[in-house]
Amino acid sequence: MKKCVLLINCLLAFAVCQAQVAVVVNSPASVAGPKAFAEPAADFTTTNLSSGTWTADAVFVDNGSATPTIGCDTVLNASELAGKIALIDRGICSFSEKVSRAEDAGAIAAIVFNNVPGEAPFIMASTAGFPVTIPAVMLSYEDGQEIRDAMNEGTINITLGIFSFANDISIDGAKVVNPTEGTIPIFAVENGDFDFTPGALIVNRGTNESENAIIQATIEHNGSQVYSESESIDMVAGGDTSDLVLLPTYVPPADMGYYFVDYEISSDSTDESDIDNTASSSFYVHESAFSKARWDEDNERPMRTNAYTTADGGNILFLSGFHLSNANGATLDSVQFYVAADSQVDTVFGNWASGSTVRVYAYLWDDINGDSVITVAENELTAIALNTVTLDPNLGSAWVTVELLDFSLSGPYTITEDEVDIFVGPRFEGSESAFFGFDEGNDQTLQLEQLAVSHVDYPYLFFTAWDDNDVPTGEPSIFNNGMDGLFGGSLATALYVTPLETSTKEPVLENVTVKLYPNPAADQFTAEVELPAASKFLEYSIRDASGRQLFSTEKNNVQKDFATFNVSTLPTGQYYLLVRTENGVATYPLSVQR
C-alpha cells in the first residue's frame, strides 16, 4: 500500500537546470545513450544520483544459483564487481537485499532490471536489515535485455548521476496542461461544461540554445485521432524554460470512453536525450461520474496512484469541485473514494479510537463576491448532503462507495438551481491518520501555477477543522512541495450524478456555423455566426469558467451576423461564448491570453 504524508520536504521533485540526473550507456555503440530509469525510495540508500557522478564498466552479479543474476545470495564474483556497476535482475528477494549484497561485493553502484516486459521502471522500496550506501536505479526489462545482448559485443560502460547534454529539451507530466477533470459525465459534455486546451512548457536542459522547438499535441478516441495541433517556439536558451504555449481548444463530442492525450516535442537540433520528449494523459467521458482523477475502466473507479494525509494526521477533509449547468432537478447519488488507515501506528479501521469516523460531504458553493475563490469567512460553503461510511474492520485500506443523503438524511439531494458549483469529498475525524486516494498521473501543477482562475478548477482543496454545522472553518489549503511548485496530484474521488431527462433540457442549437477570431484573444474578438434560417432573436452571452454570465446582448430577425466584443477588462483565462436562438443554445470556448 503506497501512502505519503504531505510535508513540504517529502514530495519528489526534479531539478530543471543544465545539469540533470541521468543513466547513460557510454559503450558499446549499439546500446549507447540515455535510458529511462527510476530512482528508489528516499530511504533506500544514503547516496542519491544528484550527489555525484559514477562511471564504470558494468558486470552482472553471480551468486552461483540456478538464477545467478537475481543476486539473492552471497555474490561469488566479488573480484569482477569491485569498483564496477552491478547489474541485477528483479525477482525472488527484496530490492534492498540485492543491492546490499552487490555493495558488499565491492560494486560502486547498482542497476536493477525489471522482469516484466512493457512495465516502466518504478520506485524501489527499502527493506529493513539490508543497509545500502551506493546509488541504485531501476531500468526496464527491454533495456536490460538490450544491455545483456550487447555484452557479446564488448564491455558495457555506464555513467550514473549528474550529467550534462549539449542539446536536450524535455517535457513531463508537470510541465503540460492536463484536463482539469480526468472523468466527466456525458451530460456535462452535452451541456458544454467541459473542454480541454492543451499546452506545455518546453524545458531546455541542454547547454546549447534550442531553435524552432515544436510542441505537438494529439488526442485519440476509439482508435481514431480526433485532434492534432502544434505550435513552435523560435528559441529556448540553454538551461531555460519557455513560456506556456497553449494550443487550440478541443471540445469533445458527447461520446463516452477514453480520450488519450499525447504530447511530443522536437527541435532543429538532434536531441541527445530524447527519452523525456513525450508526456501523456487522458480524460474519460463517463455515464454519470465526475472526478478530478483519471478513470480506471477495468475496476470502474477513479485512478489511484497514491494516498495522502496531513503531516500530523488527525482531522482532514479533502474536496473536489465541479460545475453543473442545466442542473435543476438533478440528484447527487453517491461518492466513491479510497481510504487507508495508518499502518505506521499499527492502526486499522477496527482499532480506531471511539468517535473516529469517516464521512462524505457535499457542499454548495455560493461565490458571494464573485472572485472565484472560496472564503469560508463569508459562509460561502453550505453543507447539503452527507453520509457516514461503514468500513470493514478487517481491512487496512478499501475503496468505498457511499450513498449521498440530503442533510436531513431523508433521501438523495436534489439540486434546485440551474447553475451550481458543488464541492464533495471524504472527511476523517479522529486522532489517528487516514490517507485518501490521489491520482498523481493527472498532474495539475501547471494549472495551479499559471491557469486556474477558480477553486472549482483546483485538483483538490483540504481543511482540517469544521464547525457544528459541518461547514469547514479556516481558509482552504493546497500543499506546496517546497521546490517552488505545488503538489498537483488530483483527488481520486468520484461524484455520481443523475441528471434530468435530456428532453427537459434546453435543446442544442444545430446546423449553426460559428467562427471566433482571434482565439485566443487579447483585447477583442469577433464572432461570425450563420444560422440555417432566419431566427426571431440571436442572443450572445459571455461566461467565465464557473458558468457565471459576464455579458449578454441580443439581436432580432437575423440569419447571418458579425459581432465584436471587447474583452480587454477580462483576466487571462478560459471563457465561453453562448449563442442562443428560439431553437436552442450552443457553447463555444474562448481563451483570453496576454
Side-chain angles (χ1 to χ4, degrees):
M1 177 169 56
K2 186 180 177 189
K3 300 187 293 185
C4 287
V5 173
L6 286 174
L7 266 173
I8 285 179
N9 63 352
C10 79
L11 297 177
L12 295 177
F14 296 95
V16 177
C17 55
Q18 288 172 280
Q20 62 171 304
V21 293
V23 176
V24 180
V25 176
N26 303 309
S27 63
S30 61
V31 291
K35 306 299 176 184
F37 68 96
E39 287 196 77
D43 60 349
F44 187 95
T45 176
T46 58
T47 305
N48 58 45
L49 294 191
S50 61
S51 63
T53 302
W54 296 262
T55 299
D57 293 341
V59 176
F60 269 102
V61 299
D62 182 356
N63 65 7
S65 69
T67 53
T69 58
I70 293 290
C72 291
D73 204 340
T74 302
V75 175
L76 302 181
N77 60 335
S79 60
E80 298 176 27
L81 275 174
K84 306 293 177 57
I85 295 173
L87 305 180
I88 315 169
D89 286 315
R90 175 189 176 189
I92 300 179
C93 63
S94 72
F95 297 116
S96 292
E97 181 175 353
K98 294 172 184 290
V99 176
S100 180
R101 290 186 182 280
E103 180 178 351
D104 290 343
I108 63 169
I111 296 174
V112 177
F113 295 131
N114 198 349
N115 62 359
V116 180
E119 183 178 79
F122 58 86
I123 297 171
M124 297 183 291
S126 63
T127 302
F130 295 98
V132 176
T133 64
I134 61 174
V137 298
M138 177 185 283
L139 266 60
S140 69
Y141 169 83
E142 288 76 13
D143 282 337
Q145 291 299 104
E146 288 186 358
I147 290 172
R148 190 189 309 270
D149 294 342
M151 282 188 159
N152 297 325
E153 303 174 29
T155 301
I156 301 289
N157 187 267
I158 300 177
T159 295
L160 295 83
I162 300 173
F163 206 90
S164 294
F165 299 97
N167 299 304
D168 180 20
I169 56 174
S170 72
I171 57 173
D172 58 47
K175 297 296 187 296
V176 300
V177 179
N178 291 308
T180 53
E181 276 77 39
T183 308
I184 191 80
I186 190 168
F187 64 81
V189 176
E190 293 171 340
N191 290 338
D193 289 337
F194 177 80
D195 58 50
F196 174 49
T197 302
L201 302 173
I202 294 181
V203 180
N204 186 356
R205 298 179 184 272
T207 56
N208 292 342
E209 292 181 353
S210 176
E211 297 182 351
N212 190 34
I214 299 173
I215 300 173
Q216 174 82 33
T218 59
I219 300 175
E220 182 181 294
H221 174 60
N222 287 339
S224 299
Q225 188 178 92
V226 295
Y227 176 97
S228 180
E229 298 287 348
S230 63
E231 188 63 70
S232 63
I233 300 174
D234 291 339
M235 188 272 292
V236 183
D240 202 358
T241 300
S242 73
D243 292 333
L244 175 61
V245 177
L246 292 177
L247 302 177
T249 297
Y250 174 66
V251 181
D255 190 9
M256 292 193 296
Y258 284 109
Y259 291 75
F260 296 101
V261 182
D262 292 305
Y263 290 96
E264 184 173 1
I265 58 171
S266 60
S267 73
D268 286 349
S269 303
T270 300
D271 200 315
E272 298 171 63
S273 178
D274 60 3
I275 59 174
D276 53 4
N277 287 20
T278 61
S280 299
S281 187
S282 68
F283 62 89
Y284 190 90
V285 177
H286 190 273
E287 181 180 6
S288 60
F290 284 96
S291 182
K292 296 297 184 182
R294 297 168 297 167
W295 191 250
D296 179 356
E297 189 176 53
D298 292 338
N299 293 296
E300 273 296 304
R301 63 195 185 198
M303 188 76 71
R304 183 193 73 86
T305 63
N306 211 332
Y308 288 92
T309 192
T310 56
D312 299 323
N315 292 352
I316 184 70
L317 167 66
F318 282 115
L319 294 177
S320 294
F322 306 105
H323 178 77
L324 288 76
S325 62
N326 292 324
N328 193 349
T331 57
L332 307 184
D333 294 329
S334 58
V335 173
Q336 185 180 31
F337 62 95
Y338 173 91
V339 59
D342 187 356
S343 61
Q344 297 175 11
V345 294
D346 194 25
T347 302
V348 294
F349 297 137
N351 294 333
W352 275 345
S354 175
S356 297
T357 59
V358 175
R359 290 178 177 172
V360 292
Y361 283 87
Y363 298 90
L364 188 67
W365 180 27
D366 180 12
D367 188 10
I368 296 172
N369 61 6
D371 64 357
S372 298
V373 175
I374 293 175
T375 306
V376 177
E378 297 179 3
N379 296 318
E380 294 180 331
L381 287 178
T382 303
I384 56 174
L386 79 160
N387 208 339
T388 300
V389 179
T390 301
L391 298 168
D392 184 345
N394 297 314
L395 295 176
S397 63
W399 276 98
V400 180
T401 301
V402 60
E403 181 182 7
L404 269 178
L405 301 175
D406 64 28
F407 222 67
S408 66
L409 301 180
S410 60
Y413 179 83
T414 300
I415 299 171
T416 59
E417 300 178 45
D418 187 47
E419 301 276 340
V420 295
D421 290 318
I422 302 288
F423 279 83
V424 64
R427 187 184 92 178
F428 171 72
E429 186 170 6
S431 59
E432 304 88 0
S433 294
F435 294 76
F436 293 104
F438 276 77
D439 176 16
E440 298 157 311
N442 195 32
D443 192 297
Q444 298 298 324
T445 301
L446 203 52
Q447 284 278 353
L448 290 165
E449 291 180 340
Q450 299 200 36
L451 293 174
V453 296
S454 170
H455 273 162
V456 173
D457 299 326
Y458 276 45
Y460 70 95
L461 297 171
F462 80 89
F463 301 83
T464 57
W466 36 86
D467 61 22
D468 292 340
N469 295 316
D470 291 305
V471 175
T473 57
E475 299 305 316
S477 302
I478 192 163
F479 282 97
N480 186 292
N481 67 15
M483 299 296 291
D484 298 324
L486 294 162
F487 169 61
S490 299
L491 183 63
T493 292
L495 168 65
Y496 292 87
V497 178
T498 298
L500 285 170
E501 293 297 325
T502 304
S503 59
T504 66
K505 300 176 184 177
E506 189 170 11
V508 176
L509 185 60
E510 297 181 345
N511 301 320
V512 59
T513 301
V514 176
K515 298 178 181 178
L516 305 183
Y517 52 87
N519 188 12
D523 298 315
Q524 66 179 27
F525 75 94
T526 297
E528 180 181 342
V529 179
E530 185 170 0
L531 303 170
S535 293
K536 295 178 183 179
F537 71 91
L538 173 61
E539 178 189 349
Y540 295 100
S541 174
I542 296 177
R543 302 193 179 194
D544 65 13
S546 64
R548 290 192 308 274
Q549 182 172 286
L550 306 177
F551 170 83
S552 67
T553 186
E554 184 176 317
K555 297 183 178 181
N556 297 318
N557 300 318
V558 62
Q559 182 174 0
K560 189 171 183 178
D561 188 56
F562 293 84
T564 299
F565 301 91
N566 186 337
V567 293
S568 60
T569 61
L570 295 181
T572 295
Q574 185 68 43
Y575 298 87
Y576 302 90
L577 177 70
L578 273 67
V579 176
R580 176 181 281 111
T581 74
E582 69 271 21
N583 296 314
V585 62
T587 305
Y588 302 89
L590 168 72
S591 294
V592 175
Q593 299 291 333
R594 297 184 181 86

